[in-house]
Amino acid sequence: MSLSHRTTPYPHWEFSAAAGGDLLRLVPERGGLLSGWRCNGRELLYLDEARFADPALSVRGGMPVLFPICGNLPADQLPLPQGTFTLKQHGFARDLPWDLEELPGGEGVRLTLSDSSASQAMFPFPFRLQLELRLEPGALAIAVELHNPGVDPLPFAFGLHPYFAVTSLAMASLEGLPESCFDHSTMVPAATAPLLERLEQGVDLLAQPAGPVRLLDRQAGVALELQAEAPFDLAVVWSDPPRSMVCLEPWTAPRGALVSGERRLEVAPGHTCRLACRYQLLEGAEVSTEDPG
């Protein structure tokens, strides 16, 4: 496996497997973005390249990193003993430059973000956040480590926001979600099934599944299965028509967790918190392609 710089179709780093053609595309200077993942000959991530070409616009595609919050806070304000800080939706990790290196043994890559004057202005804590991406047969394994080198507990929420390409929203469906969820569009609990029927109109829901969740592309005969470990086990589903993509996102906590305290995580001084999830590509006989409707 190797890590090399490419200039087309946009400047990025490419990590490729020795055999099989699997690869990752990464743009560390744009929020540590995983911008592409090719697995078994399939390009699995959606990326709006025209929008990506304008650094002033938020990215629509790839796999943005959500830290130190997922979603937003009331009035974008984070009250802390140190004062009240303005922290925009999904935090700052997706906007700041990260460091990139190949993992020992060439089994993947590591992205690292540490606190800086820019982050301290929004979130007054020292930290070191590392994201390790490993190519496995038919899968992408993701490990997260958040280290607290400071003297105070480090509160946080963490999420990933991968945009998965689908043939069409009409032919996409999901399996493994519970009967009830939380509808982000209305900010009230809701039944899951009626919302999933609205992928073509746009959905934004959060659920706590009991096991893996599958995003199925019935026309292509493939599925992506999210396998997440607690506390990284909330699932967000988001579609943004007419884009042919569905986001299937692992989160540790719901919106507003750093204020409400719901599922808020803390890292003790000198300690490290570890999170993990995995996306498995399923093809052929492994995928049910029957229309659930």
Side-chain angles (χ1 to χ4, degrees):
M1 300 188 181
S2 62
L3 182 63
S4 54
H5 192 259
R6 307 292 188 198
T7 58
T8 57
Y10 50 86
H12 68 280
W13 290 88
E14 181 179 287
F15 178 80
S16 57
D22 291 1
L23 61 83
L24 303 174
R25 298 185 183 93
L26 305 118
V27 191
E29 64 273 17
R30 295 285 295 275
L33 184 72
L34 174 66
S35 61
W37 172 28
R38 188 168 71 204
C39 182
N40 294 355
R42 298 181 183 272
E43 296 288 346
L44 299 180
L45 290 178
Y46 169 92
L47 181 65
D48 183 334
E49 291 187 20
R51 185 181 177 95
F52 183 74
D54 186 349
L57 299 176
S58 59
V59 173
R60 286 290 184 268
M63 190 179 73
V65 178
L66 314 183
F67 173 84
I69 59 172
C70 302
N72 56 0
L73 298 170
D76 293 334
Q77 297 299 294
L78 176 61
L80 294 168
Q82 299 93 324
T84 299
F85 296 81
T86 298
L87 192 56
K88 298 291 187 178
Q89 174 158 296
H90 295 324
F92 50 74
R94 61 179 180 157
D95 299 318
L96 297 179
W98 294 53
D99 294 325
L100 173 66
E101 61 184 326
E102 190 170 346
L103 287 171
E107 57 186 18
V109 296
R110 178 187 294 119
L111 291 152
T112 302
L113 176 69
S114 298
D115 64 284
S116 62
S117 58
S119 72
Q120 290 272 348
M122 297 174 276
F123 187 65
F125 298 95
F127 67 86
R128 184 181 70 247
L129 177 62
Q130 294 187 318
L131 186 66
E132 295 186 353
L133 307 173
R134 289 178 171 83
L135 287 173
E136 297 180 348
L140 175 62
I142 302 171
V144 181
E145 288 194 355
L146 176 62
H147 179 66
N148 178 8
V151 297
D152 298 314
L154 170 61
F156 78 100
F158 184 87
L160 296 172
H161 195 334
Y163 291 66
F164 292 114
V166 295
T167 305
S168 72
L169 289 173
M171 296 298 290
S173 61
L174 289 112
E175 296 178 345
L177 292 170
E179 293 183 358
S180 299
C181 66
F182 190 83
D183 185 352
H184 281 152
S185 63
T186 59
M187 295 304 289
V188 296
T192 306
L195 290 179
L196 293 180
E197 293 172 359
R198 294 180 50 82
L199 284 177
E200 290 181 89
Q201 288 75 47
V203 300
D204 186 357
L205 67 86
L206 177 144
Q208 187 170 4
V213 179
R214 289 186 179 186
L215 169 62
L216 294 93
D217 184 338
R218 298 192 302 277
Q219 185 168 333
V222 300
L224 273 169
E225 183 173 88
L226 169 59
Q227 305 160 355
E229 301 177 14
F232 201 20
D233 56 351
L234 296 183
V236 168
V237 176
W238 184 65
S239 64
D240 184 31
R243 302 177 190 275
S244 293
M245 66 84 199
V246 177
C247 293
L248 176 56
E249 314 171 29
W251 289 18
T252 64
R255 292 174 179 265
L258 266 63
V259 173
S260 70
E262 183 181 357
R263 289 180 61 111
R264 179 177 57 203
L265 297 175
E266 285 191 350
V267 186
H271 287 240
T272 299
C273 178
R274 294 175 175 83
L275 307 170
C277 71
R278 186 172 181 270
Y279 286 98
Q280 178 74 52
L281 177 64
L282 305 173
E283 302 176 276
E286 297 177 298
V287 181
S288 169
T289 58
E290 295 182 5
D291 187 334

